[in-house]
Amino acid sequence: MIFELKSVNLDTFEAISSRRAIKKFDSNYKMTSEQVDSLMKLTILSPTSYNQQNWRFVISTDQDVKEKISIAARGQAQPKDGSLVVVLCGNMDAWKTEPLRYWKNHPSEKQETVKAALEKKYDGNPQNLRDEAVRSCGMAAQTIMLAAKQMGLDSCPMVGFEYDELANVINLPENHMIVMMIVVGKRVQDASQRGGQLDLDEVVFQNKF
Ligand SMILES: Cc1cc2nc3c(=O)[nH]c(=O)nc-3n(C[C@H](O)[C@H](O)[C@H](O)COP(=O)(O)O)c2cc1C
């Protein structure tokens, strides 16, 4: 079903280079539930360490909710004007919540090995849990943005929000953290020119720093 979704004729390189953080979305454009579903099905194919899938996504196409999210985002218009808001959250209990199912397609020895590894890495280690939430959601965020391009849509990644206000809007459970949100929709205005990338020499090192 994912692969039957109508997509624009774009290759991966083009999707990467044409993705921009869009500020102005068409408030009349509505994604279909099939589009949203396909986008999220692609998103959960993103990699996570030990396949622990410690992300949780709050999705909204509801205008009232999106307006509340815009208020929490210090008045930024993207959530209310975009078609879909995805709030990417980390579940800090994922490592211990029926962890055998993360390798359900594999033999039980593999499942038990992963369970033990998860306990070793995350039990009593909030820093590791937090880092993992940010890594997993970061991976998923890029998938959302590139898949949106392939669907002929645009996106804006956002962390400019009042954490507690947004937590309240989405009813964030205990032991979860909000990592970021992504707005997806139809742009009505191109992004301004790129801020400017650093030279490769400054950010890429051969073999060591
Ligand atoms: C984690 C993160 C948070 C961001 N938060 C916001 C935001 O709150 N509002 C906004 O308009 N843009 C936001 N941006 C967009 C960045 O400003 C933008 O990605 C950056 O300037 C590079 O531009 P480009 O994405 O168009 O290449 C955010 C981007 C990232 C990755």
Side-chain angles (χ1 to χ4, degrees), residues 19-21 23 76 78 156-161 180 191 194:
R19 182 220 52 83
R20 299 295 313 280
K23 314 289 171 175
Q76 295 189 82
Q78 295 94 318
C156 188
M158 300 179 72
V159 286
F161 51 77
M180 65 193 300
R194 286 188 187 279

Side-chain angles (χ1 to χ4, degrees), residues 1 59 82 100 176 209:
M1 136 100 153
I59 60 171
L100 301 181
H176 286 60
F209 273 96

Side-chain angles (χ1 to χ4, degrees), residues 15-178:
I16 293 168
S17 46
S18 63
R19 182 220 52 83
R20 299 295 313 280
I22 294 301
K23 314 289 171 175
K24 293 203 188 314
F25 289 95
D26 177 356
S27 58
N28 294 316
Y29 178 81
K30 307 282 174 224
M31 289 170 73
T32 63
S33 55
E34 191 212 11
Q35 279 177 306
V36 174
D37 207 41
S38 298
L39 187 62
M40 297 318 296
K41 281 182 176 157
L42 288 163
T43 299
I44 62 165
L45 299 179
S46 309
T48 55
S49 176
Y50 293 111
N51 199 38
Q52 66 191 268
Q53 301 164 73
N54 52 333
W55 47 41
R56 297 294 179 268
F57 306 99
V58 178
I59 60 171
S60 183
T61 54
D62 180 287
Q63 195 57 34
D64 285 347
V65 175
K66 291 193 296 123
E67 278 177 23
K68 286 190 183 124
I69 294 175
S70 262
I71 293 167
R74 304 176 188 137
Q76 295 189 82
Q78 295 94 318
K80 73 176 168 61
D81 290 345
S83 178
L84 169 72
V85 180
V86 183
V87 184
L88 295 91
C89 305
N91 176 354
M92 304 305 171
D93 288 339
W95 66 276
K96 60 176 175 182
T97 310
E98 299 174 55
L100 301 181
R101 68 201 160 118
Y102 304 142
W103 287 85
K104 64 185 177 199
N105 297 340
H106 284 244
S108 61
E109 304 85 75
K110 171 74 183 179
Q111 297 174 13
E112 292 293 347
T113 306
V114 169
K115 179 173 182 264
L118 290 171
E119 274 167 19
K120 187 161 178 243
K121 185 161 184 191
Y122 303 108
D123 195 5
N125 198 326
Q127 181 69 52
N128 276 354
L129 283 169
R130 211 180 160 81
D131 289 350
E132 214 54 71
V134 176
R135 279 192 282 265
S136 296
C137 290
M139 293 280 175
Q142 185 74 338
T143 300
I144 293 171
M145 294 189 288
L146 295 180
K149 282 296 324 174
Q150 183 82 35
M151 292 164 75
L153 299 172
D154 282 284
S155 61
C156 188
M158 300 179 72
V159 286
F161 51 77
E162 297 303 323
Y163 188 97
D164 291 344
E165 261 182 72
L166 183 58
N168 196 31
V169 174
I170 65 167
N171 199 21
L172 187 73
E174 291 273 310
N175 282 331
H176 286 60
M177 69 178 275
I178 302 172

